[in-house]
Amino acid sequence: MREWRLTKSKEYKLYTTNKTSEQIGERDIYFEPVVPDKPFVKVKLIKANLSCLDIAAFLGKGDFEYPLIPARSAVAYISESYDSNLEQGRKVFLSPYDQNSKGELKIRSYNSNGYLGDYAYVPLDSVYPIPEGVSDDEVLFVEDIAMAITILSKLNVEKGEYIILQGASYQNIIIAQIAIYYQAIAIIIDTNDERLELAANLGVYYTINVNDSEKMEKIIEITSGKMVDKAICHIDINSTLDDQIALVKNGGKIGLYGYDITCKNIRTDITPIFNKNLDFIGILEGKENIPSAINMLANGIVKTEGLIESTTPFLNILEIMKASVGKVPYYKTTITFE
């Protein structure tokens, strides 16, 4: 077994369970694996997700406790099933949520260890079987779909309502797809025509280039003068709520979500919030909707083609972290363990 640990800001060290001298290199450190204190399985990792929260931990910009293993979620095979009913070789999704003995929900790669290792011991309550026919890359979007379901549910999105999303990020594109499945009308705004084209190819009917001087007029035209009912702000890519507030009708709702929960950079003029009597809802996690997310993938309701920007080998973690610093995470970055 090998795993990367972020031992402090900008410092990764590779840990291994192999004691033989020819296997332990200059950067390798021996460790004894610790098994969970509740029912668990051993898994062989296939691919793992990196997020902007991992970048925040790398930069030391939040209240992280080091050492920390990054990678908030992953797809894996069952290596040892022990007393579980999961057969060896079964493909599974490894959840980003870790519930401790006190019932507190921890977020992996933030206040609980993630999955950046070739093998791992994982509690059964973090392991979700994947149906046949769902690809490895599709599984990497399970959390994003679960979050999208949760966001739309908490905003009480209804048939025929107009939803605005600022930025054609992979999460916003997934939210838009599910909103359309719920028979709402999703509108994505972005400055990049290629991202908007991808959103359109994945089923988003309305896309608007934010540089268009007729943006407000187009929203008025699309909504028949009603403006949008709800706006969704992705805090990993948005630093202001001004556009969302301007486009939401009086009495509307705004949902804020994201993975970098250390983010403190959202800025906006709050006067229109009071004048328009807007409701704000924050969404941190989507644990309860993971089974529904897997079902949506299995039934082809959500499409993810083109939403992964890069896949990097496990041993190249430092290079990909450095390359990700300062980049806006419009598309997903993943690690492969092949």
Side-chain angles (χ1 to χ4, degrees):
M1 293 178 64
R2 297 175 301 171
E3 63 187 31
W4 282 110
R5 297 183 188 180
L6 187 58
T7 52
K8 63 181 182 180
S9 173
K10 300 181 181 179
E11 180 180 270
Y12 274 99
K13 291 185 178 180
L14 186 64
Y15 285 69
T16 179
T17 58
N18 197 321
K19 291 183 176 180
T20 59
S21 58
E22 64 270 17
Q23 291 294 324
I24 299 181
E26 182 180 341
R27 61 182 178 176
D28 298 1
I29 300 171
Y30 175 76
F31 79 104
E32 288 280 358
V34 177
V35 300
D37 58 359
K38 51 187 173 180
F40 64 91
V41 294
K42 183 180 181 181
V43 299
K44 169 68 175 74
L45 276 289
I46 304 170
K47 291 183 178 181
N49 281 315
L50 294 178
S51 74
C52 50
L53 192 58
D54 293 314
I55 303 301
F58 176 70
L59 295 174
K61 77 170 192 176
D63 55 342
F64 298 94
E65 293 186 10
Y66 304 100
L68 185 69
I69 301 173
R72 61 185 293 127
S73 65
V75 55
Y77 290 121
I78 298 294
S79 175
E80 298 288 345
S81 58
Y82 303 115
D83 295 328
S84 75
N85 60 358
L86 295 171
E87 65 272 21
Q88 191 173 21
R90 180 67 184 267
K91 185 188 294 185
V92 293
F93 170 69
L94 306 181
S95 166
Y97 312 118
D98 179 22
Q99 195 160 344
N100 66 17
S101 58
K102 298 180 181 179
E104 299 169 329
L105 196 65
K106 304 290 186 178
I107 305 295
R108 295 189 185 275
S109 79
Y110 175 55
N111 48 19
S112 182
N113 282 326
Y115 299 110
L116 198 58
D118 52 4
Y119 287 86
Y121 293 102
V122 183
L124 275 175
D125 57 12
S126 291
V127 177
Y128 294 81
I130 298 297
E132 291 186 10
V134 180
S135 71
D136 298 344
D137 283 351
E138 288 176 319
V139 178
L140 294 174
F141 290 90
V142 167
E143 182 196 7
D144 307 301
I145 298 169
M147 282 277 281
I149 297 169
T150 302
I151 291 162
L152 296 170
S153 174
K154 288 186 178 295
L155 285 174
N156 194 28
V157 170
E158 297 179 355
K159 178 180 178 180
E161 288 190 324
Y162 292 91
I163 315 297
I164 194 84
L165 301 111
Q166 182 80 36
S169 66
Y170 67 89
Q171 295 101 328
N172 278 351
I173 291 173
I174 287 171
I175 292 170
Q177 289 184 65
I178 298 174
I180 292 166
Y181 176 73
Y182 291 161
Q183 300 183 58
I185 302 160
I187 306 165
I188 289 184
I189 296 177
D190 201 298
T191 59
N192 184 290
D193 285 333
E194 290 184 4
R195 290 196 293 263
L196 291 173
E197 182 180 0
L198 177 58
N201 290 339
L202 291 176
V204 182
Y205 302 145
Y206 293 107
T207 60
I208 299 174
N209 191 310
V210 77
N211 291 325
D212 193 321
S213 60
E214 299 178 352
K215 177 182 62 175
M216 180 66 77
E217 288 78 4
K218 285 191 175 183
I219 293 296
I220 292 172
E221 178 184 350
I222 291 170
T223 63
S224 299
K226 301 175 184 177
M227 307 306 286
V228 301
D229 300 277
K230 276 123 190 190
I232 296 173
C233 176
H234 180 187
I235 64 170
D236 301 337
I237 66 171
N238 296 149
S239 58
T240 176
L241 298 175
D242 292 345
D243 279 351
Q244 289 93 327
I245 291 170
L247 298 173
V248 176
K249 70 180 186 181
N250 290 349
K253 295 181 180 181
I254 296 180
L256 290 84
Y257 81 100
Y259 298 149
D260 184 0
I261 52 182
T262 68
C263 177
K264 300 177 182 177
N265 297 321
I266 297 292
R267 298 286 186 271
T268 196
D269 178 4
I270 65 171
T271 304
I273 297 173
F274 292 99
N275 291 340
K276 300 178 78 170
N277 195 29
L278 302 180
D279 288 340
F280 272 75
I281 298 172
I283 301 96
L284 171 63
E285 50 86 11
K287 182 177 185 295
E288 67 180 15
N289 285 311
I290 287 177
S292 297
I294 293 171
N295 186 60
M296 280 192 167
L297 277 177
N299 288 287
I301 294 168
V302 177
K303 306 296 183 184
T304 63
E305 295 88 348
L307 298 181
I308 294 178
E309 179 176 14
S310 63
T311 300
T312 301
F314 167 66
L315 293 178
N316 292 358
I317 181 63
L318 188 57
E319 289 82 354
I320 193 62
M321 280 292 176
K322 289 179 178 178
S324 298
V325 172
K327 289 184 63 177
V328 179
Y330 280 100
Y331 299 138
K332 190 181 286 288
T333 298
T334 66
I335 297 291
T336 181
F337 298 88
E338 297 175 355

